[in-house]
Amino acid sequence: MDVSEEPINIEFIREASEILKKGGLVAFPTETVYGLGGDATDKEASKKIYQAKGRPSDNPLIVHIAKFEQLEQITKDLPETAKKLADAFWPGPLTMVCNKNEVIPYETTGGLDTVAVRMPNNPVALALIEESGCMIAAPSANTSGRPSPTKASHVYEDLSGKIEAILDGGTVDIGLESTIVDLTEDVVTILRPGYINMDMLREVVGEVRMDPGIVYNDKGTTGGAKPKAPGMRYKHYAPKGDLTIVSGEEDRVISTINELTAQAEKDGKKVGIIATSATAGRYGRGQILIIGDREEEQSIAHNLYDILRQFDELDVDIIYSESFATPKMGQAIMNRLLKAAGQKTIEV
Ligand code: TXA
Ligand code: MG
């Protein structure tokens, strides 16, 4: 159902709302990535979500709301920081993990006593929550292990025939999943980096730390620390081609990728390269895809998942990527890219 034009076609929103109220599933756009929605208070709907995605049922879902009061309805011991963060960043790409009460069933929270909640900044998503009267449990609308969907066509590729409807709101804005913060401990802790970065959070709540389970050392390990967000423990976002990130000074990165590509092609492999608009012309071989422009770091976040899907379609055996540790979104971009690469990096 096409809801990409304003004013939004309210008939489609009503139809999708009816599906949700009856316990069915609807994929919908948010500003980060597409979500696969069901009524968050309905445990059968949550079970269907896990089934459609092929997702392990111990990996909890995010509950999407349209009013701050809904956060109060489903949580207990809500800290003051929740209100401060909501005032600063909601609606927007920030998810807060809080202690849950009995309103949200364990099927939605993967058995946890906490619940992850976010108010998305997308008119279709907000209209759907309001019209249905449901708080909507929604993971990213991809098959488990595939890149998150940033266009309705990605959702269609993964979930067609498995869900009742897709609301097509066009390409999303941000392209990476929301920042997740844990508010259940003394210090606000980032469980998943995203568009809302550490500096932005510190301005609002003071001390903020990174979950040690997602901080990798130069050996490519977390020194044994396990990520607190269950979803960050799984191998995720992995393209079919074997991805390696090459980082260092630009000229050396380019010459290294050119050498590695030539060698791999000699061995009969099909190679893909993730380049920027400034560097693409300097690669001589391989399937070169332009991710964006370093000066506009949002463009890189925006295109990353689409590029990974394109390489799957091109059936490349090997992918080499430049590194994108840009100032604001670099932490989020590199978190996803390193995961897709299984942490494989070459420093030059
Ligand atoms: O931007 C987003 O957050 C998108 C859109 C659709 O809102 N949603 C999304 O959902 O990325 P999903 O299911 O793909 O990722 C949710 C992450 C998982 O890593 C999950 O383990 C974590 O949130 N999570 C959910 N509830 C949690 C909880 N109570 N405690 C810790 N982590 C939690
Ligand atoms: Mg996901």
Side-chain angles (χ1 to χ4, degrees):
M1 297 190 271
D2 186 349
V3 286
S4 58
E5 306 273 323
E6 303 245 15
I8 301 165
N9 185 329
I10 187 69
E11 281 312 312
F12 289 155
I13 300 290
R14 285 201 186 115
E15 214 176 299
S17 296
E18 288 309 313
I19 294 170
L20 290 176
K21 287 196 260 183
K22 287 186 193 129
L25 305 186
V26 176
F28 62 97
T30 80
E31 79 280 33
T32 57
V33 298
Y34 273 77
L36 170 56
D39 177 354
T41 62
D42 176 353
K43 55 187 177 194
E44 297 306 323
S46 290
K47 286 187 197 161
K48 283 189 205 162
I49 292 176
Y50 289 109
Q51 210 167 22
K53 275 183 68 91
R55 172 172 176 139
S57 60
D58 62 350
N59 189 3
L61 309 176
I62 294 176
V63 177
H64 294 69
I65 60 172
K67 292 191 203 84
F68 184 79
E69 294 73 58
Q70 291 174 312
L71 175 66
E72 296 172 319
Q73 276 167 36
I74 62 176
T75 56
K76 58 180 184 194
D77 328 316
L78 197 63
E80 260 170 54
T81 46
K83 181 84 175 77
K84 284 191 201 156
L85 288 169
D87 285 343
F89 301 117
W90 278 1
L94 181 73
T95 297
M96 304 189 211
V97 173
C98 306
N99 290 316
K100 80 175 204 69
N101 64 19
E102 65 298 334
V103 176
I104 301 295
Y106 284 113
E107 281 74 7
T108 302
T109 66
L112 297 177
D113 287 313
T114 54
V115 60
V117 188
R118 140 169 147 83
M119 189 188 295
N121 186 15
N122 175 288
V124 173
L126 292 170
L128 185 64
I129 299 165
E130 272 162 15
E131 178 66 28
S132 66
C134 295
M135 292 179 261
I136 304 180
S140 49
N142 51 295
T143 299
S144 208
R146 295 263 290 153
S148 293
T150 54
K151 300 175 177 173
S153 61
H154 297 160
V155 181
Y156 189 84
E157 273 166 34
D158 283 12
L159 298 177
S160 163
K162 297 183 175 164
I163 61 177
E164 278 84 351
I166 301 173
L167 288 172
D168 181 352
T171 304
V172 301
D173 286 340
I174 296 177
L176 295 181
E177 305 84 348
S178 60
T179 306
I180 303 179
V181 289
D182 182 6
L183 304 186
T184 66
E185 291 178 34
D186 292 343
V187 178
V188 173
T189 306
I190 298 178
L191 305 186
R192 178 174 73 181
Y195 177 84
I196 309 287
N197 63 28
M198 178 86 97
D199 293 337
M200 292 157 83
L201 292 165
R202 280 188 176 144
E203 260 180 47
V204 179
V205 297
E207 192 183 355
V208 177
R209 63 172 201 143
M210 195 62 90
D211 176 8
I214 62 168
V215 181
Y216 284 83
N217 56 30
D218 48 15
K219 295 190 193 79
T221 78
T222 62
K226 262 175 64 182
K228 185 155 180 189
M232 301 296 278
R233 293 176 202 151
Y234 296 105
K235 187 166 189 244
H236 225 184
Y237 322 115
K240 289 183 204 152
D242 193 18
L243 170 63
T244 301
I245 300 161
V246 182
S247 75
E249 186 268 316
E250 184 170 280
D251 289 338
R252 299 202 53 194
V253 167
I254 292 168
S255 62
T256 305
I257 291 180
N258 277 330
E259 282 158 29
L260 289 167
T261 303
Q263 185 57 48
E265 287 189 343
K266 225 189 263 167
D267 298 340
K269 305 269 199 244
K270 194 169 169 189
V271 180
I273 297 173
I274 302 181
T276 64
S277 39
T279 59
R282 298 174 62 196
Y283 294 105
R285 318 160 145 273
Q287 287 276 347
I288 302 153
L289 295 184
I290 297 175
I291 192 168
D293 186 336
R294 262 175 214 284
E295 259 63 86
E296 290 163 47
E297 43 182 307
Q298 283 225 42
S299 64
I300 294 172
H302 191 257
N303 293 323
L304 175 61
Y305 288 141
D306 188 50
I307 293 251
L308 293 179
R309 280 180 184 257
Q310 284 186 49
F311 276 131
D312 279 355
E313 251 160 60
L314 289 166
D315 239 346
V316 295
D317 304 298
I318 296 179
I319 306 168
Y320 294 114
S321 177
E322 297 175 17
S323 177
F324 304 104
T326 54
K328 295 198 184 90
M329 290 197 72
Q331 204 153 38
I333 295 167
M334 290 312 289
N335 170 270
R336 309 313 193 270
L337 192 61
L338 280 160
K339 263 193 155 184
Q343 309 296 323
K344 275 194 304 301
T345 310
I346 300 174
E347 286 277 343
V348 294

